């Protein structure tokens, strides 16, 4: 997903979902999410991936733009 905001977000959220399940939790247990991104103009792509993972759960969420990430 290099350069693809939607694919990268989907991948990371799927990893988080797996970790939750391995720890005995579910995506329904998430009450808040924060996404730190470098290109806020792609917010619709981040939001679409987020919606697909959380669908009916609807945790409080925010997307913030940062200038750079330590590890792109």
């Amino acid at each position: 997903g290099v350069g693809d905001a939607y694919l990268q977000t989907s991948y990371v959220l799927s990893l988080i979902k797996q970790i939750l399940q391995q720890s005995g939790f579910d995506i329904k247990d998430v009450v808040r999410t924060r996404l730190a991104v470098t290109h806020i103009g792609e917010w619709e792509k981040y939001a679409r991936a987020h919606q697909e993972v959380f669908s009916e759960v609807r945790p409080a969420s925010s997307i913030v733009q940062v200038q750079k990430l330590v590890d792109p």
Side-chain angles (χ1 to χ4, degrees), residues 6 11 17 19-20 23 25-26 31-32 34-35 44 48 50 52 59 65 68-69 71:
Y6 168 76
Y11 175 71
K17 186 175 180 178
I19 291 167
L20 285 168
S23 301
F25 295 97
D26 190 82
V31 295
R32 180 179 180 116
R34 291 185 188 131
L35 287 81
E44 290 176 333
R48 181 171 55 128
H50 189 277
E52 289 174 0
Q65 180 170 314
K68 291 183 181 181
L69 298 172
D71 184 0

Side-chain angles (χ1 to χ4, degrees), residues 6-54:
Y6 168 76
L7 288 178
Q8 289 178 10
T9 306
S10 293
Y11 175 71
V12 170
L13 291 175
S14 71
L15 290 178
I16 291 170
K17 186 175 180 178
Q18 288 176 9
I19 291 167
L20 285 168
Q21 291 171 339
Q22 291 169 357
S23 301
F25 295 97
D26 190 82
I27 205 74
K28 295 175 187 171
D29 296 310
V30 175
V31 295
R32 180 179 180 116
T33 62
R34 291 185 188 131
L35 287 81
V37 302
T38 55
H39 301 290
I40 200 72
E42 308 245 355
W43 72 269
E44 290 176 333
K45 294 176 183 179
Y46 308 124
R48 181 171 55 128
H50 189 277
Q51 172 62 29
E52 289 174 0
V53 171
F54 289 99

